[in-house]
Amino acid sequence: MVLSGRLLALALALLLPVVLRPGMDTVGWCLLALVLVAGTDLVLAASPRGVLIARDLPASTRLDAPVQNALLITQTGGRRLRGSVRDAWQPSAGQLAASGRADAAVDLDVPAGERRRVVTTLVPRRRGTLRSASVTVRSWGPLGVAARQVTHPVPGQLSVLPPFRSRRHLPSRLARLREMDGRAAVQTRGGGTEFDSLRDYVRGDDVRSIDWRATARRRDVVVRTWRPERDRRVVIVLDTSRTSAARVDDEPKLDTGIEASLLLAALASAGGDRVELVAVDRRVRARVSSTEKGSLLHRMVTALAPVQSTLLAADWSRVPVEVAAVARQRSLVVLLTDLDTAALQEGLLPVLPALTARHQVVVASVADPGLSALARGRHDVETAFRAAAAERAVLERRAAARELNLLGVEVVDEPPHRLPPALADAYLRLKAAGRL
Amino acid sequence: MRTPPARPAAALHTAPAVPDTGQAVRRWWRAARIWFVLAALLVLVALPSILRQDPGARPLGTDSARPEGGRAVARVLDQHGIAVHPAASLPEALALAADHPGAPVLFHDPAGHLPAEALEQLAEAVGPERRVLVEPGLTVLQGLAPGVSQGGVVPEGAPLPAGQQCRWPAALEARSVSAGGRSYRTGPSGQQCFPVPGTGAGPSGAAYAVVTTAEGTVVLGHRDMVANAGAADEGHAVLSLWTLGRDTDVIWYLPSLADVPVDGGPPTLDRLLPDWVRPAGLWLVLCLFVLLLWRGRRHGPLAVEPLPVIVPASETAVGRARLYERSGQYAAAARALRSATVVRLASALRLGPAAPVGAVVAAASRASGLDAGRVGSALDVDDVGSGRALVAAAAALQDLEDEVHRGLQATGTARDGTSATTDTAAAAADTPSDADPRTP
C-alpha cells in the first residue's frame, strides 16, 4: 500500500470539522472518512500483480555508451492500470528516465489487455556485469489517493565491455606498421629483416638499399625492400591479482592493463602476428586466442568484461605453463603486472628465467604519477617524510626494472594514459629490430 | 497506441504472474516483520507500567515481600489473632472503619493520592486516637494530625535513642530506632520521642522521629519502622506492634490511584485551553502519520551495488612515510631524498648510470656555478637527526636540483645558436640512458 500527498491534503482539510465541532466522535468520523476514501481507492486500483513484464535489452554495451533499456508491460487484468514502474538497476548502471532524472520511476498508463513499452536509458559507469533484480509496479486508484505496489522478480543483466579508449592511438601505430611493412609510400628502407621484393628506384629511396647486382642485370636502378617477420606469436599475460586492484588516476591498474592489451592485440593482429591472451591470478580468469573464429577484439572485450581484480597474490609459477600451452615456438610474452618489489621478488623473478630462455619478455607496469607529486611537497616534517617514502618507492621501482633488464626483459613503466601507446611502441620497436 | 506483440530479438524474460507459496510467505514476512517488531517494542514499553499496577507491590502492601512492603508486620499481627483489613480506596476504608470501631487505622500515602476533602472525610470517620500515620506529608498532617509540624529529613546515621522528654511507654520499651525518613514536632501536649541530633539549635526546638498528639494520634517518621526491611531492626517491632496491635482488628489503608479525584485539583493548562485543541492535536498526529507513510514509502526494494575493492596506489608510500616518522628515521628519510636527487642529477648531467657521487658533485657544481663544497654539503645528509634538519635538508636538495637545471638551461640557451644540432643528437643519444634505471 502506498499513500499520496492528496490523502495528506484531505486529512488536513478534515482538521476544519475537528476544530469546529470538537469531540472524540468527530475525530472518529473523520478517521472513518479518511480510511473509507483510501480503502475505496485501493479497491478500485488495478491489481499490479496481474501484470506481465518482459525485458528488451541488448546483451552488452561499452562502458560510457548509453543503451536503451525497455520494459514491455502487459496488463492482463480487466482494469486500466495507471501508475509508475521502477526498474531496480544497481546505481552504477546509471539509469536515466526519459525526463533525465536519475533512477526515477517512470509513469505508466496501460489500458486493460494492452501492452506498453517503457524505456529508460542506461549509461553504465562500471565495467562488468550489471544487474537488476526486480521491477516494481505501482498502481494508483482513480482518486490518486492510495496505490497498490508489487515487486516482480524480473532479473535483467547487462554486460559492460571495456571501453577501449586507447583505440585513438591505433591509426598512427598502424601507419608505422605499414611503413615498416614497406606498403606505405614512404621513402625509407622497410623495417624488419625479411627480404620482401625488388622494385624500381624512385627518388628519395635510401641509397643503401640499392641492389647492385639486380641493377647490373637491368638498365634501371633497383632497390630491395624489406618487411618485418610475420606469423609470430604475441602472448599477453594479464595479472588480475591484488596488485592490479590499486587505483592510479582513479582507474584500477587492471583496467589500464586491459586497455593496453586491447591496443597491443589490435596492432599485432594487424601486423600479421597471432595473439594469445591469458588473464591469470591464482587461476586462469580468461583466455582468448586469435586462432579461433570471429573478431579477436570482440572476443577479447567479451572475455575481459567480467574479469575483476581478486585480493589474492598471483601464482606466477603457472605462467610458464600457460605460455607453453599456447605457444611452443619463440614468442613475445607481454606481462601486464606491477613492478612492486615485494610481489616481484617473491613471484615473478623466480619464474622469469624459464620464460626468457625461450621467449622475448616485456614487462609492462602502470607507474603512479601520484608518487612524483608526493615527492615534490617538502614544506614540513610530514610532507618531507612522504617525499622521502615516495622517492624511495620510485628508486625501488627503478632498481626492479634494472634487475629485469639484466635478465633480458624489456620494461615499460608509464602512467595510465601513456601505458597503452608505450607498450604498442615497444612492440613496434621489437618487431622492427627483428627480435620477435 | 498498442505495441505490436512481436517478440524482440534480445533476451526476453517473463515474470511469473504468481510466485510460488514459499516465496510469497517469505516476502510477506519481510514486509510484515517491521510491524511485529513495533508491536514487540510496544509490549516491552507497556509491560512495566502494567506490572506496576499490582497493588500488592506498593510500599507497605500487606502482600508485598519486597524490602518496602509490609507483609512481615501484617503476618505477625495475623499470628497474634489480630485481623488485618487492607483498604485501597477511601470508601473501602470508611466502610471498614465503621465495621470495626476502635480498630487502629494505618495510613501511608507517599504519592499524595488522597486530596484534602477526602482527608476530611477520613478524619470524621476515624477518631484521632485510632490514627497511625507513617511518614505523613504536610497535607496529611493538616488533615489528620493538627498540631504536628514537619521537622525535615533525618540523615542516615547512628540509631536514635528515645530521649529525655519521652514518656510514651511504647517508645521507652523500644529504646531506639534507626535514623532515616522524616522528623516532626508537636507541642508540649503530646509526646515527642527519638530526638534527631543537630536539630535542637533552631528557634522551634528539636525535631523527633516519632511523636504522638494529645488526642492519641501516632506519627511514625520512618517507613522502615513498619516495612519488611527494617521491622526487625532496633525497637521497630515493639513500636509497630504496640501501635497497631491495640485491638482485635487493624485497618491498613494505603490510598491508591482510585482515590485520585478525576475532576478535582487546581485548574491545569489543559482546562485553560479551548476544547478543540485536544482533538485537533490528535488529528495532527494522525496527519503526521499519513505524512510519514507518504514520504517514507520506497518504490520497490533497494538496488544492491557490489562495491569494487578500492586501493589508492600511493597508499603504501604514505604508510611507509608514517612508519619513518613514528620511528624517527630522519637519517634514512634524508638518505632516500639524497639518493633520488643524485640519480636525477646524474641523469640530467648525462653521466652514466653508475657514476660515483664525487663525479656528480663535480659536474653539478660546474653546471650550476655553485661551489663544490656547497654542493657536497647539500648532499651530505648523514647527520640529519631532527624534523627541522630533515625539512632543511629536503629543501637544500630541491634547491640544488633547481640550481643545476637553471644552470643547464642557461648554458643550453647560450649555445643554442651554435650547436643546436649536436645538442639534439646528444639528447637523442642520451634518451636510452635516461630511461635506464639507476640504483643509488
Side-chain angles (χ1 to χ4, degrees):
Chain A
M1 189 191 71
V2 184
L3 302 180
S4 77
R6 290 186 194 183
L7 191 72
L8 181 64
L10 179 65
L12 288 174
L14 284 174
L15 193 60
L16 195 67
V18 171
V19 170
L20 291 182
R21 195 180 165 281
M24 292 317 281
D25 53 339
T26 322
V27 172
W29 285 115
C30 288
L31 186 60
L32 186 66
L34 208 60
V35 169
L36 271 182
V37 169
T40 315
D41 213 33
L42 270 184
V43 169
L44 290 178
S47 168
R49 212 172 282 282
V51 157
L52 286 180
I53 300 171
R55 286 185 184 276
D56 177 11
L57 178 71
S60 64
T61 183
R62 277 191 200 288
L63 190 68
D64 297 334
V67 61
Q68 298 280 310
N69 165 48
L71 290 174
L72 299 170
I73 297 173
T74 316
Q75 165 64 322
T76 57
R79 285 189 208 150
R80 182 188 193 117
L81 190 149
R82 277 193 206 82
S84 52
V85 59
R86 173 181 164 253
D87 199 353
W89 281 101
Q90 64 189 70
S92 63
Q95 183 171 219
L96 293 172
S99 57
R101 277 171 57 199
D103 203 30
V106 183
D107 288 344
L108 188 68
D109 186 359
V110 193
E114 294 196 13
R115 178 156 74 168
R116 287 288 180 271
R117 187 185 176 86
V118 175
V119 179
T120 56
T121 308
L122 301 183
V123 189
R125 291 191 299 268
R126 258 176 65 193
R127 186 176 56 79
T129 306
L130 303 180
R131 289 191 172 83
S132 161
S134 58
V135 173
T136 304
V137 179
R138 185 180 276 192
S139 163
W140 289 100
L143 298 175
V145 159
R148 293 155 76 179
Q149 178 172 312
V150 165
T151 300
H152 293 279
V154 191
Q157 110 173 21
L158 177 68
S159 183
V160 180
L161 309 177
F164 195 13
R165 293 190 189 104
S166 57
R167 200 166 44 227
R168 63 199 160 88
H169 297 295
L170 193 55
S172 61
R173 267 68 187 181
L174 283 177
R176 293 248 307 270
L177 197 64
R178 278 196 294 273
E179 286 169 22
M180 281 166 53
D181 234 356
R183 270 183 283 159
V186 286
Q187 313 303 334
T188 56
R189 209 174 117 139
T193 52
E194 219 170 83
F195 173 69
D196 186 24
S197 60
L198 292 170
R199 63 168 168 82
D200 284 345
Y201 175 84
V202 288
R203 282 186 61 137
D205 270 350
D206 190 347
V207 290
R208 284 176 296 175
S209 57
I210 294 174
D211 187 33
W212 293 108
R213 251 192 289 180
T215 308
R217 278 201 293 275
R218 295 181 57 185
R219 303 280 295 277
D220 292 328
V221 183
V222 173
V223 292
R224 284 181 197 184
T225 60
W226 307 84
R227 66 164 195 192
E229 295 84 347
R230 300 180 71 85
D231 292 325
R232 300 289 148 156
R233 277 181 184 271
V234 178
V235 183
I236 304 171
V237 180
L238 187 60
D239 173 15
T240 61
S241 70
R242 61 182 180 196
T243 53
S244 70
R247 274 169 188 257
V248 178
D249 283 358
D250 202 30
E251 185 180 63
K253 288 183 176 176
L254 177 63
D255 286 19
T256 313
I258 289 176
E259 288 286 308
S261 56
L262 286 173
L263 182 66
L264 178 60
L267 191 62
S269 59
D273 292 329
R274 280 189 273 172
V275 181
E276 313 280 343
L277 173 100
V278 188
V280 66
D281 41 78
R282 295 206 81 81
R283 60 188 185 80
V284 175
R285 301 281 167 186
R287 199 196 301 266
V288 183
S289 168
S290 67
T291 51
E292 292 159 30
K293 274 189 179 174
S295 150
L296 171 69
L297 276 187
H298 180 72
R299 277 186 292 118
M300 275 179 75
V301 292
T302 319
L304 290 176
V307 172
Q308 302 289 350
S309 348
T310 52
L311 285 184
L312 302 168
D315 180 9
W316 285 104
S317 63
R318 292 190 65 104
V319 172
V321 185
E322 294 296 334
V323 171
V326 294
R328 292 225 183 74
Q329 71 268 48
R330 182 177 165 81
S331 320
L332 173 68
V333 176
V334 179
L335 302 175
L336 281 155
T337 179
D338 190 37
L339 282 179
D340 177 35
T341 331
L344 208 63
Q345 294 284 358
E346 286 166 18
L348 183 55
L349 279 180
V351 304
L352 262 183
L355 287 173
T356 48
R358 300 200 51 196
H359 307 290
Q360 171 65 47
V361 178
V362 173
V363 170
S365 164
V366 183
D368 184 3
L371 282 184
S372 38
L374 273 186
R376 274 194 294 275
R378 302 176 174 194
H379 54 274
D380 59 19
V381 178
E382 192 189 350
T383 51
F385 271 118
R386 287 191 176 187
E391 298 279 31
R392 167 64 58 194
V394 171
L395 287 172
E396 280 175 359
R397 280 180 87 89
R398 285 195 185 189
R402 184 174 168 76
E403 201 168 349
L404 290 176
N405 276 336
L406 290 176
L407 284 167
V409 173
E410 284 267 325
V411 176
V412 180
D413 188 21
E414 294 285 343
H417 61 284
R418 292 231 311 270
L419 182 68
L423 182 60
D425 290 344
Y427 164 78
L428 290 174
R429 205 163 56 237
L430 288 170
K431 196 172 174 67
R435 283 167 64 191
L436 288 195
Chain B
M1 183 203 74
R2 196 183 165 117
T3 323
R7 287 174 78 82
L12 199 75
H13 312 272
T14 308
V18 184
D20 64 272
T21 335
Q23 256 187 334
V25 168
R26 243 175 294 142
R27 245 191 293 154
W28 173 85
W29 168 243
R30 259 210 305 270
R33 67 182 162 190
I34 181 68
W35 297 108
F36 283 99
V37 169
L38 284 180
L41 273 179
L42 196 69
V43 167
L44 274 181
V45 169
L47 211 58
S49 55
I50 292 170
L51 289 181
R52 218 178 298 140
Q53 290 303 308
D54 174 18
R58 284 185 295 142
L60 294 193
T62 50
D63 288 332
S64 171
R66 294 187 188 188
E68 74 273 15
R71 190 155 133 186
V73 171
R75 280 281 180 87
V76 169
L77 289 170
D78 205 40
Q79 279 163 11
H80 284 78
I82 298 162
V84 178
H85 304 283
S89 68
L90 185 62
E92 240 180 302
L94 294 179
L96 285 169
D99 286 352
H100 307 283
V105 176
L106 178 130
F107 183 85
H108 181 52
D109 187 13
H113 286 313
L114 211 60
E117 303 92 82
L119 283 171
E120 272 171 35
Q121 283 182 48
L122 190 68
E124 273 171 33
V126 178
E129 74 286 353
R130 295 169 65 188
R131 302 171 194 161
V132 179
L133 311 178
V134 181
E135 275 195 53
L138 183 61
T139 329
V140 175
L141 284 179
Q142 283 169 351
L144 296 182
V148 178
S149 59
Q150 287 184 309
V153 174
V154 180
E156 302 275 334
L160 314 172
Q164 301 291 323
Q165 306 187 348
C166 186
R167 296 284 171 273
W168 190 36
L172 293 174
E173 192 71 24
R175 295 211 187 98
S176 66
V177 294
S178 56
R182 300 178 181 184
S183 61
Y184 300 91
R185 292 190 186 93
T186 181
S189 57
Q191 295 289 342
Q192 305 188 104
C193 304
F194 310 109
V196 178
T199 55
S204 45
Y208 299 86
V210 173
V211 298
T212 62
T213 63
E215 293 85 23
T217 303
V218 180
V219 177
L220 301 177
H222 192 10
R223 187 167 68 196
D224 273 6
M225 294 174 190
V226 189
N228 294 340
D233 295 348
E234 309 297 333
H236 292 173
V238 176
L239 264 182
S240 57
L241 296 182
W242 192 294
T243 49
L244 298 172
R246 284 177 287 184
D247 197 56
T248 54
D249 297 278
V250 60
I251 297 163
W252 202 283
Y253 179 28
L254 306 172
S256 66
L257 277 178
D259 289 321
V260 175
V262 178
D263 219 56
T268 57
L269 183 68
D270 188 40
R271 278 204 225 157
L272 296 173
L273 287 173
D275 50 359
W276 54 264
V277 170
R278 228 167 218 277
L282 188 68
W283 189 254
L284 282 176
V285 169
L286 190 129
C287 289
L288 184 73
F289 191 60
V290 172
L291 176 79
L292 290 182
L293 284 180
W294 171 37
R295 298 313 309 181
R297 188 76 162 101
R298 254 186 287 116
H299 204 307
L302 290 175
V304 181
E305 177 83 52
L307 288 175
V309 184
I310 294 180
V311 186
S314 49
E315 199 173 56
T316 46
V318 175
R320 191 194 297 207
R322 261 184 230 126
L323 271 181
Y324 276 154
E325 194 171 357
R326 204 170 301 158
S327 54
Q329 296 288 325
Y330 299 103
R335 275 199 297 274
L337 290 170
R338 199 263 314 257
S339 302
T341 299
V342 169
V343 168
R344 269 197 298 268
L345 284 181
S347 154
L349 296 166
R350 291 168 200 165
L351 298 167
V357 175
V360 175
V361 169
S365 82
R366 254 200 318 280
S368 60
L370 292 172
D371 179 35
R374 262 191 72 192
V375 175
S377 69
L379 287 176
D380 178 26
V381 294
D382 285 331
D383 53 350
V384 168
S386 70
R388 187 172 301 186
L390 175 65
V391 175
L397 289 168
Q398 187 72 58
D399 289 346
L400 174 62
E401 274 187 64
D402 291 347
E403 280 300 322
V404 169
H405 280 292
R406 209 169 296 140
L408 283 177
Q409 268 171 9
T411 51
T413 43
R415 52 180 188 173
D416 208 19
T418 54
S419 61
T421 45
T422 53
D423 209 5
T424 23
D430 226 47
T431 315
S433 78
D434 262 351
D436 263 357
R438 256 166 283 236
T439 37

